[in-house]
Amino acid sequence: MPTAIIADDERLMRDQLRMRLEQVWPELDIVGEAKNGEEAVELVARCKPDFTFLDIRMPGKTGIEAAREIGERSQVVFVTAYDQYAVEAFERGAVDYILKPSEPERLKVTVERLKARLDKPGLAVNDSVTAMLSQLAEKIAAPKPKHLQWIQASIGQDLRMIPVEDILFFRSDEKYTCVQTEKFEALIRKPVRDLADELDPALFWQIHRATLVNVNAIEGVTRDIRGRHLVLVKGRPEKLEVSRSFLHLFKQM
């Protein structure tokens, strides 16, 4: 049975990649996960996986640095959000790449490539590709955003990675939080109070203990016959109640 590890400092991305790999290559055994390059190198030494899925930009030791240390001990697949730089480097044949968030059709291509290499000795990152990756590392060296960029949510029996900028609002009940986009509604278990700490406060305003709204989705504010302030959401019939303690957010509007 082929084995692999996944290294990414974002838990949601690790979960999503693991889930996608289970769908397209159920025989692949994910024997470990790492949050940074240092852990990835240690896992490769301990578990000796056939393949290592490495995020390029991680705190501390980057995926590029980890790949150089891993060398021929495991075949590396880079995971990146930077296709404008990565395609030229990774299509040289020494390594493969996956764009985040991983899509099943692209993963199928990767899996076919990896299956074809199972009977070949591990391939190190050669000097020419290493040089290109070093240039790539310099171009993407800016600090990672400190706020959530993606939400992993359930839609029926499926999981989907939703960019936060596509979300109109979050609204919680006792058990779930509704994630509303222009096209669909999804559910997550994380409460609004936790989301408020992890989302960019310049993009999402908390207007009620159970509601967060995307500032760019606000069409206006109205009052009903009971004197309650209600947020109108662009393109949606919902009117989101504003608690008195959050009314100060709208004084500038």
Side-chain angles (χ1 to χ4, degrees):
M1 180 179 292
T3 59
I5 68 167
I6 296 171
D8 195 308
D9 62 319
E10 298 183 44
R11 183 185 58 79
L12 289 178
M13 288 301 174
R14 295 198 305 272
D15 290 347
Q16 197 246 21
L17 180 55
R18 176 188 281 270
M19 178 192 69
R20 295 295 193 203
L21 285 169
E22 288 174 351
Q23 292 173 345
V24 300
W25 197 2
E27 298 84 8
L28 182 66
D29 184 13
I30 306 297
V31 294
E33 296 184 7
K35 301 187 294 295
N36 53 57
E38 192 74 42
E39 290 184 6
V41 173
E42 293 173 358
L43 268 178
V44 168
R46 186 167 69 249
C47 300
K48 298 178 175 56
D50 297 302
F51 307 108
T52 298
F53 293 84
L54 278 177
D55 183 18
I56 283 183
R57 190 168 66 181
M58 295 183 286
K61 185 172 294 182
T62 67
I64 295 169
E65 293 167 336
R68 290 172 182 157
E69 290 194 33
I70 290 168
E72 298 182 0
R73 291 181 291 169
S74 180
Q75 299 191 55
V76 170
V77 177
F78 283 106
V79 182
T80 176
Y82 300 92
D83 62 320
Q84 68 269 42
Y85 305 124
V87 171
E88 182 182 359
F90 301 151
E91 287 290 73
R92 291 295 185 93
V95 290
D96 202 357
Y97 75 96
I98 298 171
L99 294 180
K100 294 198 289 188
S102 57
E103 296 296 335
E105 290 306 312
R106 179 61 181 85
L107 265 182
K108 288 178 182 178
V109 174
T110 296
V111 166
E112 290 307 310
R113 291 178 180 176
L114 297 184
K115 286 180 177 179
R117 300 170 83 159
L118 273 174
D119 296 328
K120 297 179 180 180
L123 299 178
V125 181
N126 64 39
D127 292 340
S128 63
V129 175
T130 297
M132 296 181 71
L133 292 175
S134 296
Q135 296 174 11
L136 169 62
E138 294 175 1
K139 293 178 180 179
I140 62 173
K144 293 189 74 170
K146 62 181 180 180
H147 303 295
L148 278 181
Q149 301 298 302
W150 304 87
I151 296 293
Q152 180 176 282
S154 299
I155 303 176
Q157 298 299 313
D158 298 326
L159 287 176
R160 182 173 297 187
M161 298 295 291
I162 308 170
V164 295
E165 61 268 20
D166 291 350
I167 298 170
L168 303 178
F169 60 84
F170 297 89
R171 189 159 54 180
S172 293
D173 59 20
E174 294 182 0
K175 189 173 182 181
Y176 295 102
T177 295
C178 166
V179 181
Q180 183 67 59
T181 73
E182 290 184 2
K183 298 180 179 180
F184 58 83
E185 175 185 287
L187 296 175
I188 60 176
R189 290 186 180 274
K190 181 173 291 190
V192 159
R193 65 176 179 271
D194 292 343
L195 288 167
D197 292 333
E198 299 176 13
L199 291 164
D200 184 353
L203 180 61
F204 283 91
W205 286 357
Q206 184 167 8
I207 61 171
H208 187 277
R209 63 181 177 81
T211 310
L212 288 163
V213 63
N214 188 325
V215 174
N216 297 322
I218 296 175
E219 184 173 13
V221 182
T222 187
R223 296 178 69 175
D224 63 10
I225 59 175
R226 296 167 53 188
R228 297 180 304 170
H229 288 78
L230 305 173
V231 167
L232 307 178
V233 180
K234 295 176 182 178
R236 299 292 305 176
E238 293 92 346
K239 295 179 180 180
L240 308 176
E241 182 178 355
V242 183
S243 297
R244 187 171 300 176
S245 56
F246 296 106
L247 284 176
H248 65 277
L249 294 172
F250 300 94
K251 290 182 178 179
Q252 57 188 320
M253 298 185 69

